[in-house]
Amino acid sequence: MSTVVTRFAPSPTGYLHVGGARTALFNWLLARHTGGKFLLRIEDTDLARSTEDAVDQLLEDLRWLGLQWDNSELVYQSKRLDLYNRIIGDLLAKGLAYEAWETNEELDALRKQAEKAKRAFIYRKRTYTEDELKKFRDENRPSVVRFIMPVKDYRFHDVVLGKEIVQPAPECQDFVIRKTDGMPTYHFGVVVDDAEMGITHVLRGLEHLKNTFNHIALQEALGYARPIYAHLSVMLNPETGEKLSKRDRDRRIRKRVHEWMKSAKKTITDLATACGIAPDRLTDWITTDTRQLDLAEQPLVMKIVGLTEADLPEIMIHDFRKNGYFPEVLNNFLALQGWSPGGDLEQMSMAKMVELFSLDRINASNPKFNREKLQSFNTEHAASAGPDRLLSGMRDYLAANPDSPLNIATDEQLLKILDMKKGLRTFRQVDESSSFLLMPDDKITYAPDAVEKVLKKNDAQGLCALRDLRPLLANVTDWTSANIEHAITAYIEQTKLGLGKVAQPIRVAVSGGTISPPIFDSLQFMGKDATLARIDRCIAKVGTPEM
RNA sequence: GCCCCCAUCGUCUAGUGGCCCAGGACAGCCGGUUCUCAGCCGGCGAACAGGGGUUCGACUCCCCUUGGGGGUACCA
């Protein structure tokens, strides 16, 4: 009985994305379920795209999710070139691989030609003439190393698909194993490292299905054991129906910018001046679909066109953290994208998932990622979580959102706010609806539509109520929620106004908007002086002379 | 173009030939509760893509069509 060894092998090109996180989760679950090991390897063979920052972000996200890996020393492919070169040298010496000199342009031309002839492009070993070889060397043309893929049928059993996948002999081709820059290709790196690390189960995205044949051929040539393969479905964006991608956020902003220009009758130049980004840069971005705003530019543009963080689709794990989800809920939800324990069970702890996880209950069809259900899970989890978990969750959210006014709150204050916001969906929602409680007075801005609707409408009825209420509240000696309620209820009975007609003006005066925790509790939280000061300030700012 | 994978309510799914005129969850709709947002309570509508087989019997097995997705790199 050999133990299970799984791995997650991301390439460090940015924050961890949901698809990757699900792959990591499944590998982690399998390892934990079987008492095996879960290893982490960094596939940084693409020199142009890999960064050290990205590695840090990746590790941070994985830790946040609680997917702890078991290798104390991270495996970086970029640090293993000696090993790869030794093996490639052997392959070359044995005549199982060879150098090839075609340029990208030549290969492109061949591919186009094949497509025109309606057949697949297959690369097989070419013999170069002595003259050609001399010419290549003379002009110092860089070469790649290609593996001679033995021409035969390849087959393997896939656990998720539950069947044998076959590649017929005519589709075999000699693929590149070392690039001109001296780095191994993905195919070569995975095969060598999976074998070296003793990986027994490879769970990875479906986009790798056809790569598996290359990997098998290499394993056979190198005398490696074949791991068990399980290819996971790809998660789809419900809006586009395509693979979830980091680009989706940019798309959303782009769409909104178009709407904004149309409805507000603005141009891209207006946008550029408003957000302080060079007009050329923005024009280039808006006219070229493949261009993306970088992380620093996004918020500037979003602010102008009226988009908030919460409006963008979360794609990166970091986005979910910033938007105030529990990591355990995200894991639970991600697990359900393609796996089910069977029956009606959906909401589970990590421990329960570990207990119930099994490969043969993984689905092969591609799920569309549906945020509403995730939100609902988060809501229910928050409702059943104890104060400690809520507080630590809130603290974690605040750490990811250093600009929130709630960062100055004490634990006691946070606990009170959390208690007032029972029924919360996300921590961001708590933040957005409660941060006025801890903001300095002069940071409160009054939302124009709230002022209009709640204070000024009907001959400024709301504002009048505020003026009436001001002395009544000043008379409350013991400033508790219950006493405040008494005072206000008395006023309601006397004036025959509904509670809504009175509570809303106070809410606007105190928070600037129409959303807050229950109003009496909010006033108690702020204290008498702060409450009266805000009411005065509101009357002064909003009150009209003719009143 | 070529190769491959997939197919149950709008979405995620349960269902492994009779337990299913198909169950759950989210979303939706209707009603109730409430000072706002949320929440909560009660109710409703909603699917086996189509066509052939196999079988006493198909959501479940096979084939075709259609639809969706992925790959087609010196990216992983």
Side-chain angles (χ1 to χ4, degrees):
Chain A
M1 267 284 285
S2 58
T3 52
V4 168
V5 183
T6 65
R7 47 71 163 179
F8 179 53
S11 54
T13 57
Y15 282 102
L16 178 60
H17 123 311
V18 264
R22 190 195 53 167
T23 302
L25 174 64
F26 281 25
N27 278 284
W28 182 86
L29 282 171
L30 180 64
R32 292 292 171 269
H33 176 79
T34 56
K37 296 233 174 301
F38 169 65
L39 307 180
L40 183 60
R41 177 174 76 222
I42 306 298
E43 305 217 323
D44 54 350
T45 54
D46 184 349
L47 265 12
R49 295 200 306 153
S50 304
T51 70
E52 194 54 41
D53 273 359
V55 174
D56 294 341
Q57 289 163 350
L58 220 44
L59 300 187
E60 190 188 327
D61 291 338
L62 247 16
R63 285 199 191 95
W64 183 70
L65 287 170
L67 306 181
Q68 196 44 255
W69 52 97
D70 297 318
N71 45 329
S72 51
E73 193 108 341
L74 281 185
V75 178
Y76 285 85
Q77 290 192 323
S78 62
K79 294 179 184 165
R80 294 160 64 81
L81 292 187
D82 287 352
L83 172 68
Y84 303 134
N85 283 331
R86 210 191 69 223
I87 297 172
I88 289 173
D90 282 355
L91 250 18
L92 247 13
K94 286 187 189 150
L96 298 177
Y98 59 92
E99 285 180 285
W101 274 274
E102 286 79 18
T103 62
N104 281 324
E105 292 70 33
E106 285 165 347
L107 291 171
D108 282 348
L110 289 169
R111 284 190 192 100
K112 282 222 178 80
Q113 212 179 323
E115 189 174 333
K116 235 182 209 158
K118 300 198 176 197
R119 52 181 176 76
F121 170 67
I122 300 291
Y123 189 104
R124 293 275 174 74
K125 183 170 184 178
R126 282 184 50 192
T127 40
Y128 303 99
T129 63
E130 277 308 314
D131 287 350
E132 277 177 320
L133 288 177
K134 183 174 183 306
K135 182 176 155 248
F136 295 152
R137 292 194 171 112
D138 284 350
E139 68 190 21
N140 242 333
R141 205 197 256 212
S143 68
V144 298
V145 175
R146 280 178 187 268
F147 172 68
I148 302 177
M149 187 172 191
V151 178
K152 59 170 195 172
D153 289 357
Y154 287 87
R155 53 189 71 229
F156 70 95
H157 183 265
D158 187 282
V159 190
V160 170
L161 268 19
K163 64 180 199 181
E164 188 156 80
I165 310 295
V166 184
Q167 175 175 279
E171 284 172 36
C172 293
Q173 57 178 328
D174 299 347
F175 55 93
V176 175
I177 56 175
R178 185 167 65 197
K179 306 185 258 187
T180 48
D181 65 4
M183 298 298 277
T185 58
Y186 158 75
H187 301 298
F188 191 77
V190 226
V191 168
V192 171
D193 290 333
D194 280 349
E196 286 268 325
M197 293 164 75
I199 304 301
T200 60
H201 291 68
V202 173
L203 318 205
R204 55 168 30 159
L206 196 67
E207 54 268 33
H208 292 296
L209 190 68
K210 308 256 285 213
N211 292 334
T212 309
F213 301 114
N214 289 358
H215 302 171
I216 288 172
L218 230 27
Q219 282 156 5
E220 288 175 355
L222 296 170
Y224 294 151
R226 181 190 297 186
I228 290 169
Y229 284 105
H231 288 91
L232 274 20
S233 55
V234 291
M235 284 198 271
L236 271 24
N237 180 326
E239 283 175 39
T240 62
E242 288 164 5
K243 193 158 89 164
L244 272 182
S245 108
K246 296 177 185 176
R247 278 260 290 285
D248 294 345
R249 312 191 101 216
D250 201 80
R251 277 202 195 112
R252 187 67 234 283
I253 299 176
R254 186 186 295 268
K255 191 176 155 205
R256 175 67 203 164
V257 167
H258 281 297
E259 289 166 5
W260 176 80
M261 290 195 298
K262 207 172 165 195
S263 67
K265 298 212 171 14
K266 302 278 193 181
T267 66
I268 205 74
T269 321
D270 298 330
L271 180 62
T273 33
C275 66
I277 298 175
D280 290 357
R281 162 76 182 139
L282 279 182
T283 307
D284 182 46
W285 168 69
I286 201 80
T287 54
T288 317
D289 276 357
T290 51
R291 289 272 191 292
Q292 289 187 63
L293 294 178
D294 60 41
L295 249 36
E297 293 169 326
Q298 282 185 357
L300 300 173
V301 173
M302 284 163 61
K303 196 166 177 209
I304 306 302
V305 299
L307 268 182
T308 68
E309 187 70 28
D311 295 325
L312 296 187
E314 298 99 343
I315 304 292
M316 272 83 87
I317 293 307
H318 190 71
D319 302 331
F320 292 94
R321 186 181 180 195
K322 279 193 80 166
N323 280 350
Y325 292 90
F326 290 99
E328 60 269 37
V329 169
L330 184 56
N331 277 318
N332 187 175
F333 183 76
L334 250 23
L336 260 21
Q337 302 293 294
W339 173 78
S340 157
D344 293 341
L345 182 61
E346 285 197 324
Q347 298 195 36
M348 286 165 280
S349 65
M350 295 286 273
K352 195 71 184 169
M353 288 195 282
V354 167
E355 181 197 327
L356 297 176
F357 189 76
S358 85
L359 285 182
D360 53 20
R361 297 206 54 92
I362 298 179
N363 260 59
S365 51
N366 300 337
K368 294 197 177 104
F369 187 89
N370 159 267
R371 301 202 299 165
E372 274 130 18
K373 187 156 176 169
L374 169 66
Q375 271 198 5
S376 164
F377 275 27
N378 206 65
T379 309
E380 288 194 41
H381 191 70
S384 63
D388 288 353
R389 183 65 191 102
L390 285 173
L391 181 62
S392 61
M394 190 69 202
R395 282 287 176 213
D396 181 65
Y397 163 85
L398 290 172
N401 292 276
D403 292 340
S404 166
L406 292 186
N407 272 292
I408 61 164
T410 63
D411 283 357
E412 283 75 7
Q413 287 176 315
L414 243 26
L415 247 9
K416 257 187 226 161
I417 291 174
L418 257 0
D419 190 55
M420 288 192 279
K421 284 302 292 180
K422 280 198 180 117
L424 68 98
R425 294 180 77 73
T426 61
F427 290 115
R428 173 171 295 282
Q429 197 193 48
V430 175
D431 184 11
E432 285 172 354
S433 63
S434 313
S435 58
F436 75 92
L437 292 169
L438 289 165
M439 260 184 220
D441 288 355
D442 59 359
K443 282 277 187 301
I444 301 287
T445 54
Y446 305 99
D449 45 344
V451 168
E452 181 55 39
K453 187 175 166 214
V454 177
L455 296 177
K456 292 193 170 167
K457 239 172 88 175
N458 293 334
D459 295 331
Q461 193 190 50
L463 206 53
C464 294
L466 261 191
R467 288 202 171 98
D468 293 346
L469 244 15
R470 205 286 180 196
L472 298 180
L473 288 173
N475 274 338
V476 176
T477 45
D478 187 13
W479 192 255
T480 64
S481 168
N483 290 342
I484 298 166
E485 185 170 358
H486 273 136
I488 292 176
T489 311
Y491 174 71
I492 289 169
E493 276 165 12
Q494 179 204 321
T495 58
K496 304 231 162 55
L497 287 170
L499 180 51
K501 290 265 190 295
V502 177
Q504 279 304 74
I506 302 178
R507 184 168 269 122
V508 174
V510 131
S511 75
T514 53
I515 299 172
S516 87
I519 195 65
F520 309 124
D521 293 337
S522 298
L523 299 187
Q524 180 188 335
F525 184 99
M526 287 194 302
K528 185 171 174 178
D529 294 347
T531 300
L532 296 178
R534 285 209 185 164
I535 290 176
D536 290 340
R537 178 172 181 265
C538 177
I539 292 173
K541 290 234 171 204
V542 177
T544 48
E546 62 270 21
M547 274 304 303

